[in-house]
Amino acid sequence: MTNAEKFRQLVEAQEQRLLPEKIMLIEKLLYEFTIVGRGIWSDDRLSEQEIVTALKWLNEMTHRTWNILYDLRRNEEHDSMGRLYANMVQYAEESRVLGGHFAASFYAVICCFS
């Protein structure tokens, strides 16, 4: 099994959590995304174009994550973790910089729940 497959399974396994836990998970993930933005902005190894592109798609990911949180708070699940994973994949494909950041952020959040 590839690391990508393991990561997908980890994200989608969170669907089994109780609603309040999913809400907390998404809130913590949004906080982690603010740290990701700071990290990207201050990464001297990236070109200006890579920074702008990464921040653009991080912003889109953040919007999608807020939408998931909004649905959860209204008790409207709609495959929240599947949507979260699909969005992470989509925006990581738009910016190679984001993939590792998304995974690290998600793992950091999951550690809080273990």
Side-chain angles (χ1 to χ4, degrees):
M1 182 180 304
T2 67
N3 286 340
E5 181 63 20
K6 289 178 188 176
F7 183 66
R8 182 191 63 77
Q9 287 181 354
L10 177 64
V11 174
E12 291 179 353
Q14 305 316 304
E15 197 68 56
Q16 304 305 313
R17 292 191 180 276
L18 298 174
L19 182 61
E21 290 178 322
K22 284 191 245 184
I23 289 171
M24 190 181 312
L25 185 149
I26 295 296
E27 289 171 342
K28 289 179 180 292
L29 187 60
L30 286 164
Y31 169 77
E32 290 293 325
F33 287 169
T34 66
I35 296 168
V36 168
R38 290 180 194 142
I40 290 169
W41 181 256
S42 62
D43 191 338
D44 294 334
R45 297 169 298 173
L46 300 175
S47 70
E48 286 184 21
Q49 183 61 42
E50 288 172 313
I51 290 170
V52 168
T53 299
L55 291 176
K56 171 186 174 180
W57 294 112
L58 175 60
N59 182 57
E60 286 301 316
M61 181 67 207
T62 302
H63 281 271
R64 300 293 182 246
T65 307
W66 275 109
N67 289 341
I68 292 168
L69 179 60
Y70 178 76
D71 288 347
L72 289 172
R73 286 184 175 162
R74 293 176 46 165
N75 201 24
E76 297 175 5
E77 302 254 357
H78 308 299
D79 185 30
S80 57
M81 295 302 134
R83 288 170 43 213
L84 179 68
Y85 176 76
N87 288 325
M88 284 192 277
V89 168
Q90 178 182 351
Y91 298 124
E93 288 174 356
E94 297 290 344
S95 169
R96 67 163 183 79
V97 173
L98 290 177
H101 284 293
F102 288 158
S105 295
F106 195 80
Y107 284 122
V109 168
I110 294 300
C111 288
C112 295
F113 288 89
S114 299

